[in-house]
Amino acid sequence: MPLAALSSNAAAPVDLLFREVHAIDPRVGLDGLRDVRVRGGAIAELAEPGSLTPEDSEELVQGEARHRLSPAFFDPHVHLRSPGQEHKEDLETGTRAAAAGGFGGVIAMPNTDPVIDSAPLLRSLRDTAARDARVPVGFLPAITRELAGERLTDMAELRAEGALGFTDDGRPVMSARVMRSALRYQRLCGGVLALHEEDLTLSAGGVMFEGAVSAALGLDGIPGVSESSMVRRDAALAAYEGGRVHFQHLSVADSVAAVAAAKADGIAVSAEVTPHHLLLTDESLRGLDTAFKVNPPLATESDRVALIDGLRSGVIDCVASDHAPHAREEKEVPFEQAPMGTTGLETAFAVLHTELVLGGLLELGLLIERMTAGAALFELPAPSIVVGQPANLTLLDLEASWVPGEHGWESRSQNSCFAGRRLQGRALMTVAAGAVAYRERTFSVVGV
Ligand SMILES: [Zn+2]
Ligand SMILES: [Zn+2]
């Protein structure tokens, strides 16, 4: 069931030879020069550098010092806005953005219009993905009907239709009683419960993080404990019911501590963090630029440092972009009224490589591990450079210098909090489920 749970319209299976390329896959201890042959969309040979010769119709990619061949990244948290908000994004543009960012698979959130909370809608979206998606897409339908936090969806039926799990992302499940019964149904039907943690009675009316900057700006703040108190509650409920929960977009140090404590207690929890929470703080809000208005809000420097430490130590399992496209006119309104969210698929690797890897805070191999780990958290096979596996590969150029947004976006929206920054590193080519999903440039094709 897991592989079938992802849907895409993959192009023809590809034949490629990466020759003398520096391949790096920390999951299997690979970090060095190799020849990697992809035949019919699968990894066919892994050999000593320079030992394989290209065959007819095989595209030859000659490795350079600036290249790394990585397993394709996997993003367990994106908003593709379909159905109902296709003016922001759809399955085709969203997965094009994913492929351009080096992602070979994504998981879409259900806070669409209508909400993805029924089996027929899930089925029709999976059909649309099979027609339109550039990289495989999995879906997390809602935990509660219409995300209202009251009545559970038919979780068993949704699972039978291919749901990887469930989430009310955009909103928390405020009622502990409802959360508890979702955990009980999970025991019967499986699937991960992915949780957007926010105590609405604490966050209500807040438009940014509550702290010195919100005080200086005179804006209503959202206290960090709005998130961390709910992380603690749901870890306790998961422990009580023997459930499995995944905490989305951690934003404050206290939440990292709560996840660490839950893991130390042996509770089945995992967690993700976004590039923007790893790299930005509420200081970015001083100019009232709505590009930085996100949920959960950007917190303080000590929170940011705790998130980086958590990602490094493994308390936080993976990176997720929380790619949240909004149309230009929706963000070009007074700060208080603007919707929350930033796009992120096209910049995730580049910003983290520039700031954390080149900044000496995270090894490249560890970043690659954290950018691919999301698949296994949702019971999907981890993308890996292993003979016999389907080719899910990203060819990275670690020296490419570029400015996101300078030449437009693959996404239909452009509300990126990283637009205009000079970055170093990007995907040159993404192979997803055995087919080329993105290429920055063409390499030499032999025998054609
Ligand atoms: Zn969320
Ligand atoms: Zn989200």
Side-chain angles (χ1 to χ4, degrees), residues 77-79 109 111 169-170 196 248-249 272 295 322-324:
H77 187 157
V78 303
H79 297 269
M109 299 296 113
N111 61 336
D169 183 45
H196 167 121
Q248 299 177 301
H249 47 47
E272 66 185 36
N295 189 15
D322 194 7
H323 178 79

Side-chain angles (χ1 to χ4, degrees), residues 224-380:
V225 71
S226 157
E227 175 182 275
S228 58
S229 61
M230 291 290 280
V231 170
R232 285 202 170 77
R233 185 202 77 175
D234 288 334
L237 287 171
Y240 190 67
E241 292 294 346
R244 160 82 179 91
V245 298
H246 173 75
F247 297 112
Q248 299 177 301
H249 47 47
L250 295 193
S251 68
V252 294
D254 193 35
S255 295
V256 181
V259 172
K263 287 188 167 184
D265 285 346
I267 307 170
V269 301
S270 57
E272 66 185 36
V273 64
T274 73
H276 46 280
H277 290 105
L278 287 166
L279 301 180
L280 301 171
T281 69
D282 60 353
E283 290 294 333
S284 303
L285 278 296
R286 286 197 187 270
L288 295 178
D289 182 343
T290 60
F292 298 101
K293 186 177 177 186
V294 293
N295 189 15
L298 300 171
T300 67
E301 181 63 14
S302 60
D303 294 304
R304 188 179 84 82
V305 169
L307 293 168
I308 295 171
D309 288 346
L311 187 67
R312 193 189 298 112
S313 71
V315 167
I316 300 174
D317 300 81
C318 71
V319 170
S321 73
D322 194 7
H323 178 79
H326 290 294
R328 186 190 282 270
E329 63 276 12
E330 294 167 316
K331 276 283 196 180
E332 284 181 352
V333 296
F335 187 84
E336 289 93 323
Q337 292 154 33
M340 292 165 151
T342 177
T343 57
L345 283 165
E346 293 171 69
T347 52
F349 172 76
V351 292
L352 295 173
H353 177 254
T354 303
E355 299 291 332
L356 299 188
V357 177
L358 298 180
L361 295 167
L362 204 65
E363 295 287 324
L364 176 64
L366 195 54
L367 176 60
I368 288 171
E369 201 283 333
R370 300 293 189 257
M371 291 195 68
T372 52
L377 298 179
F378 289 86
E379 298 162 3
L380 296 167

Side-chain angles (χ1 to χ4, degrees), residues 392-406:
N392 288 293
L393 299 166
T394 297
L395 183 68
L396 299 166
D397 179 345
L398 300 185
E399 291 175 20
S401 173
W402 63 294
V403 176
E406 200 175 41

